[in-house]
């Protein structure tokens, strides 16, 4: 097998201390992130409690680690961050400028950025399909670029929306991970980023057509939610959500959901390939299976963490770390499902269509846990009703 | 085939992965039941839902509290047992494996491995071995060199933590389940099975009358109960829901609620729920003061106190009793307390007033449903994150039932603040006869003094048969003066007026309508109906004048606003016939007294659960992200064998093997300066 990216990871990962492999650019990036975190701390520390200080420090360190682990984000985050800063500067302290300043109105205001994200994801999906059907590397490269841009729009959306919340009212502003609309954008972002990582890691862009389908479905939901339900309006936090646990529980969950979604779409690709459909267009059956496994492994780890964080939050909010609330229970079901999946693959050595089917079903179960519970069952989760 | 003893076979089964996976599947399915069927509801609502036939078997199956049902706990027990056995079974091997370098591996088995390669050695043995050792160290391997008959063996390994991961993750399951069991109600369940404890099912008994069997002492290891209390009061017991009834948990302290706070955002959403409490330890008398907020419990003596709900705590109310029919010039005053019942006499009839909750705010969204607007408008909306919601606080309200001696009740919802519509003001009163029905609202128009007085006077006159001829006389005189009727017709006109007034006093517009339906031919109904309305509209003016005259008040100058007041009065009088009772209770004042609901929990298993969680995350991380690799380099003059194994067989395995094989080939073939890359 000749897989250049593997060779590089090996030489980096294999040699004992990883920091020997770090280059000047890595250090500059780390310095930059830490400096930004420092400025944020210096300006806003009074408004944050000690947990939020910890979250800030943790986020900065995670960003550094992520950049060292996966080089492209060293450029991605600073660029997207700069755009967001530009938007903040354009706003000043007048929310009304969102409708008057050209750059805000058409590009950088959070809702404009969200619309750009939607459009870019749709375009990327279409072009990935062109690339897949025509086996065109150029189309794939363009689609990949569009996906990056869409993810960038999501980052801009995130920070700008955060800021806009405070412009509406100092008691209204909060980090935008507090309702279904906000977490759907987060889902699109995380899924896209994870996919882009695998694309580079496995040096193939031919999985994008499938993965981007599920992102497009989420984008479709976002559009419906925005236009039909005005769900994009910033609402203040009700007391149950005023907790710093929310700020880590929710994102951790979405790494899980995103990973499971990727795994399911690769499962679909595998099942098609096994029936000779698009077989010669897709990466090999085994590569698909391996990426699927990798995705589920990451997803399982983060989902475990998220569930534990949820339990800790519940211990603060509801008076018990586990109440068998429907949402909790379904999280457990999802978790048990993937634990079984991992057992049969790793311990029993299963491979093939059955795991692919299983991961597709797994996504259905996950989707029910994520949306269905809110729609059909009642419980303590005041969060994210449709 | 070897015969297994029963015990051995059971051990193998219980510790097998197949068993574990079946168990996980069963647990998942059982859990689903509990999410579909709402758990821990009052038993009466289950009885209503399922009917008598199914209620009992479902109760017996524990479906109303699946997660604490015996069979569910037993399954959890099996999970703990099976996982423990599984650890017990694998642990020795794993520990041996972690320690060992497997340096005794036979050449034959190395040669049989999937990743192995023979390399010609063109270097002196010792130099090559040293270089190989350096390579392995640089790659993060630990190694051992042994000299064997046939040559020298370098056995190396890396990533032993991967195997520990298994231990961590599976021990975590056991630890978490044990922690959970500690906090569960298993001991209580056992005690109730053995008859030592018994749930209390009577709903309204004072704590002092509850039997010892239904009380739990403060030494109870773990509990999760609720307390509801009004401001200013003190409680030292909590209520534990259990199946058809409850237990009373005595607390090691007494909680006094000093004040409950609610704050709202400008958009009407709640912003803060917080209780200022004072906790006095029974043992030491130590007083702990604190504020409990949602997400911010207060922990005293190992018991955590959480804000969980709030409501009205029984607030003193002031009400004005208006008589729809009577001519009382002033309303009676009535003092009451919300959430309490009191006796009340009306028209000689004994009634009970059952007051419900006082709601000091009623935030309503006055935004009309967004009509389907054009695309441009929607685009505009989608760009803005700030919505201009039209929310309004419509002020305090009180809900109450009026129950008669037969037990029949009518429920009312009365608002304190006037409601404005098109420049006119009304008092809103909702009424319904069944809990499931929506309230039907009557709008009581307010007079120029902002009081229902003016309306009530009109209502009294309209209901007074003695007043009808006088009203009719005045209206007819006016009509004749205006030339609307001829003098010959006047008598007849007066009679019609009295008749219409009488009919109206019988049942409002509805009574007139039913008369039309019964007595008037279909094609004439419309015209006759119009006539009745006109007659009433004329008469109400004189009724109002008469009512003011009786109250020794000057007549009001007629204008548009007064006319609308009169029309509204007609509508309200008409509605009063369906109002259920002949009086209207107008809320005129209150003194709010809130109540706060707490959860109090003691959960000694919590640290264990958290420890287990930590182990779980560590374990999963180690299992997935650490690769356990082994390398054997067996060397003899002129020959070198490289064998490689990894716990994961994937593309990376191939890559790693290729890298090792390239490195060893290169150091075997030429003598090179030592170098680092
Ligand atoms: C909720 C319960 C459980 C969870 C979440 C869980 C999770 C896992 C995971 C993620 C692995 C990773 C496999 C690998 O990296 O090779 C694993 C391995 C394994 N599990 Fe479980 N497990 C659970 C219960 C059990 C039980 C009850 C058994 C007992 C029969 C069991 C037996 C095993 C075995 C034998 C392995 C392979 C260990 C090795 O050799 O590396 N598991 N488990």
């Amino acid at each position: 097998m000749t897989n250049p990216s593997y060779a590089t990871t090996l030489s980096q990962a294999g040699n004992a201390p990883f920091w020997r492999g770090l280059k000047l650019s890595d250090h500059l990036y780390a310095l930059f992130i830490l400096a930004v975190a420092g400025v944020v701390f210096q300006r806003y520390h009074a408004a944050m409690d000690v947990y939020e200080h910890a979250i800030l420090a943790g986020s900065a360190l995670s960003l550094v680690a992520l950049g060292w682990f996966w080089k492209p984000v060293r450029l991605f985050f600073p660029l997207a961050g700069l755009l967001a800063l530009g938007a903040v500067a354009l706003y000043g302290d007048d929310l009304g400028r969102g409708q008057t300043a050209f750059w805000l109105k058409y590009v950088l205001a959070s809702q404009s950025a969200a619309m750009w994200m939607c459009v870019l994801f749709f375009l990327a999906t279409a072009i990935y399909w062109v690339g897949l059907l025509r086996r065109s590397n150029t189309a794939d490269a363009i689609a990949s670029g569009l996906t990056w841009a869409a993810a960038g729009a999501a980052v801009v959306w995130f920070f700008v929306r955060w800021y806009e919340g405070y412009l509406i009212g100092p008691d209204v502003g909060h980090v935008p991970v507090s309702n279904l609309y906000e977490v759907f954008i987060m889902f699109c972002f995380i899924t896209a980023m994870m996919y882009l990582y695998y694309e580079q890691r496995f040096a193939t862009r031919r999985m994008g057509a499938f993965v981007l389908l599920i992102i497009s479905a989420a984008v479709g939901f976002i559009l419906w939610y925005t236009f039909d339900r005005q769900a994009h309006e910033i609402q203040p936090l009700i007391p149950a959500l005023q907790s710093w646990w929310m700020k880590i529980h929710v994102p951790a969950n979405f790494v899980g959901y995103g990973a499971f979604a990727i795994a399911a779409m690769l499962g679909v690709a595998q099942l098609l390939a096994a029936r000779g459909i698009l077989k010669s267009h897709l990466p090999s059956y085994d590569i698909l299976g391996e990426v699927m496994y990798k995705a589920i492994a990451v997803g399982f780890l983060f989902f475990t963490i998220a569930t534990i964080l949820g339990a800790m939050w519940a211990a603060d909010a509801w008076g018990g770390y586990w109440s068998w609330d429907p949402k909790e229970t379904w999280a457990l079901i999802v978790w048990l499902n993937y634990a079984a999946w991992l057992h049969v693959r790793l311990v029993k050595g299963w491979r093939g269509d059955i795991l692919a089917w299983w991961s597709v079903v797994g996504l259905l179960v996950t989707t029910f846990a994520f949306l269905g519970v809110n729609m059909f069952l009642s419980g303590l989760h005041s969060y994210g009703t449709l | 085939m070897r015969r297994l003893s029963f015990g051995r076979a059971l051990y193998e089964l219980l510790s097998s992965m197949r068993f574990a996976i079946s168990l996980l599947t069963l647990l998942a399915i059982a859990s689903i039941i509990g999410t579909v069927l709402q758990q821990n509801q009052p038993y009466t609502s289950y009885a209503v839902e399922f009917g008598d036939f199914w209620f009992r078997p479902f109760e017996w199956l524990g479906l109303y509290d699946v997660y604490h049902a015996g069979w569910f706990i037993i399954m959890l027990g099996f999970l703990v047992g099976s996982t423990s056995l599984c650890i017990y079974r694998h642990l020795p091997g794993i520990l041996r494996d972690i320690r060992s370098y497997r340096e005794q591996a036979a050449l034959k088995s190395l040669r049989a491995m999937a990743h192995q390669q023979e390399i010609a050695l063109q270097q002196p043995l010792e130099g090559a071995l040293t270089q190989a050792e350096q390579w392995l160290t640089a790659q993060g391997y630990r190694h051992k060199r042994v000299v064997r008959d046939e040559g020298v063996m370098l056995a190396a390994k890396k990533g032993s933590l991967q195997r520990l991961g298994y231990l961590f993750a599976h021990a975590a399951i056991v630890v978490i389940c044990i922690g959970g069991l500690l906090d569960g109600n298993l001991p209580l369940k056992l005690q109730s099975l053995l008859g030592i404890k018994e749930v209390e099912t009577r709903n309204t008994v004072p704590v002092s009358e509850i039997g010892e069997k239904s009380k739990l002492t403060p030494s109870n290891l773990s509990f999760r109960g609720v307390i509801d209390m009004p401001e200013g009061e003190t409680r030292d017991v909590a209520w534990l829901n259990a199946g058809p009834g409850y237990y009373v948990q005595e607390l090691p302290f007494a909680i006094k609620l000093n004040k409950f706070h609610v704050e709202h955002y400008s958009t009407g959403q709640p912003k803060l729920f917080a209780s200022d409490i004072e906790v006095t330890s029974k043992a030491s008398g130590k007083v702990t003061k604190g504020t409990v907020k949602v997400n911010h419990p207060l922990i005293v003596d190992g018991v955590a106190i959480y804000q969980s709900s709030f409501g009205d705590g029984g607030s003193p109310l002031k009400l004005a009793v208006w008589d729809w029919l009577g001519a009382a010039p002033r309303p009676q005053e009535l003092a009451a307390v919300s959430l309490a019942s009191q006796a009340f006499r009306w028209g000689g009839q004994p009634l009970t007033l059952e007051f419900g909750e006082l709601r000091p705010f009623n935030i309503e969204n006055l935004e009309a449903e967004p009509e389907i607007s054009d695309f441009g408008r929607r685009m505009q909306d989608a760009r803005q994150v700030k919505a201009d919601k039209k929310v309004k606080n419509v002020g305090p309200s009180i809900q109450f039932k009026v129950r008669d001696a037969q037990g029949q009740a009518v429920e009312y919802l009365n608002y304190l603040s006037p409601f404005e519509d098109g420049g006119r003001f009304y008092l809103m009163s909702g009424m319904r006869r069944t809990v499931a029905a929506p309230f039907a609202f009557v709008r009581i128009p307010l007079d120029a003094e902002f009081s229902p007085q003016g309306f009530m006077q009109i209502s009294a006159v309209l209901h007074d048969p003695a007043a009808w001829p006088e009203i009719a006389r005045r209206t007819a005189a006016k009509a004749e003066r205006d030339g609307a009727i001829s003098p010959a017709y006047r008598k007849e006109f007066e009679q019609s007026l009295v008749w219409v007034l009488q009919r109206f006093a019988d049942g409002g517009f509805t009574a007139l309508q039913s008369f039309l339906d019964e007595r008037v031919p279909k094609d004439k109904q419309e015209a006759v109906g119009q006539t009745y309305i006109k007659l009433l509209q004329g008469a109400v003016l004189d009724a109002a004048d008469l009512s003011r005259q009786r109250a020794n008040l000057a007549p009001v100058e007629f204008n548009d606003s007064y006319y609308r007041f009169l029309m509204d009065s007609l509508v309200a009088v008409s509605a009063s016939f369906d109002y259920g009772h002949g009086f209207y209770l107008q809320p005129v004042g209150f003194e709010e007294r809130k109540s706060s609901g707490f959860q109090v929990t003691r959960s000694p298993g919590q640290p264990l659960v958290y420890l287990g969680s930590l182990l779980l995350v560590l374990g999963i991380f180690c299992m997935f992200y650490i690769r356990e690799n082994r390398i054997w380099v067996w060397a003899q003059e002129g020959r070198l064998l490289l064998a490689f194994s990894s716990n994961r067989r994937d593309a990376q395995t191939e890559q790693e093997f290729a890298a090792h094989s390239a490195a060893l080939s290169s150091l075997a073939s030429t003598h090179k300066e030592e170098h680092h890359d």
Side-chain angles (χ1 to χ4, degrees), chain B residues 294-588:
Chain B
V294 179
N295 277 314
H296 298 277
L298 179 71
I299 298 172
V300 182
D301 291 343
V303 178
I305 307 166
Y306 299 86
Q307 181 67 54
S308 78
S309 64
F310 68 95
D312 179 14
S315 309
L317 307 170
K318 268 213 312 244
L319 301 148
V321 186
W322 293 95
D323 185 350
W324 287 110
L325 315 175
R330 294 267 141 228
Q332 287 173 46
E333 290 205 348
L334 179 71
V337 176
S338 62
L339 298 178
S341 297
Q342 67 190 63
F344 183 69
R345 281 195 90 78
W346 188 257
Q349 258 199 64
L351 297 171
T352 318
L353 298 178
E354 300 171 3
F355 286 93
E357 238 193 336
L358 166 77
R359 300 235 253 128
F361 307 95
N362 287 282
I363 312 259
E364 311 252 306
N365 190 354
L366 300 183
E367 182 97 328
E369 278 296 301
E371 74 286 11
I372 300 301
S373 50
D374 56 310
F375 184 71
R377 158 87 198 283
R378 292 205 168 203
M379 284 305 285
Q380 177 68 22
D381 281 351
R383 271 210 304 267
Q384 293 176 348
V385 289
K386 185 177 174 188
D388 298 313
K389 279 258 154 52
K390 291 193 185 60
V391 290
K392 194 179 161 195
N393 179 3
V394 298
S397 69
I398 175 79
Q399 207 161 322
F400 59 92
K401 286 184 183 156
V402 179
R403 198 177 293 281
D404 62 23
Q406 285 74 45
Q408 299 283 14
V410 184
E411 191 171 12
Y412 297 93
L413 170 62
N414 290 355
Y415 287 85
L416 186 143
S417 315
F419 164 83
E420 196 233 77
D421 183 18
R424 302 264 341 131
F425 291 88
Y426 308 88
L427 284 174
M428 302 296 280
S429 175
M431 173 279 210
R432 64 180 176 191
R433 290 178 194 275
T434 59
V435 178
F439 281 103
F441 280 93
V442 179
R443 292 166 156 210
I444 297 162
L446 294 181
D447 60 21
E449 277 82 52
F450 246 58
S451 153
Q453 178 94 38
F455 161 72
M456 289 297 170
Q457 283 165 354
I458 294 175
S459 172
V461 168
L462 285 176
H463 278 104
D464 178 6
W468 299 336
E470 172 65 10
I471 298 172
R473 198 188 54 72
R474 292 187 187 192
T475 311
K478 225 186 278 169
E480 191 186 334
R481 209 179 321 127
D482 296 349
I485 54 167
S486 63
Y489 185 58
R490 178 164 166 176
K491 200 82 206 145
E492 208 176 319
F493 185 71
E494 268 186 47
Q495 276 164 6
S496 310
L497 271 171
V498 172
W499 182 84
V500 167
L501 284 172
Q502 178 191 351
R503 202 74 221 175
F504 185 72
D506 273 355
F509 293 124
T510 328
L512 286 169
Q513 182 64 45
S514 60
F515 175 80
L516 286 178
D517 289 344
E518 283 163 24
R519 301 291 172 82
V520 179
K522 269 243 158 353
D523 53 333
K524 299 244 176 70
Q525 282 184 4
E526 168 107 28
V528 178
Q530 286 300 329
T531 314
Y532 289 165
I533 302 280
K534 285 227 180 71
L535 289 177
L536 269 178
Q537 286 175 342
V540 72
L541 203 70
D542 294 301
D545 282 347
L546 179 63
S547 77
R548 295 185 69 82
Q549 193 184 334
R550 285 184 175 183
N552 292 327
L553 294 168
V556 176
E557 193 190 329
F558 185 80
N559 60 24
D560 195 37
S561 156
Y562 186 56
Y563 178 71
R564 279 181 49 212
F565 168 70
L566 294 177
M567 292 308 115
D568 289 335
S569 299
L570 268 185
V571 173
V573 170
S574 175
S576 72
F577 295 104
D578 285 332
Y579 195 70
H581 286 280
F583 58 91
Y584 158 64
L585 293 188
Q586 182 199 357
V588 289

Side-chain angles (χ1 to χ4, degrees), chain A residues 171 232 234 237 242 315 321 378, chain B residues 38 183 265 271 306 381 385:
Chain A
D171 61 352
H232 59 281
I234 296 179
L237 285 182
Q242 293 165 6
Y321 49 82
S378 58
Chain B
Q38 265 207 48
D183 289 344
Y265 292 105
K271 179 178 180 176
Y306 299 86
D381 281 351
V385 289

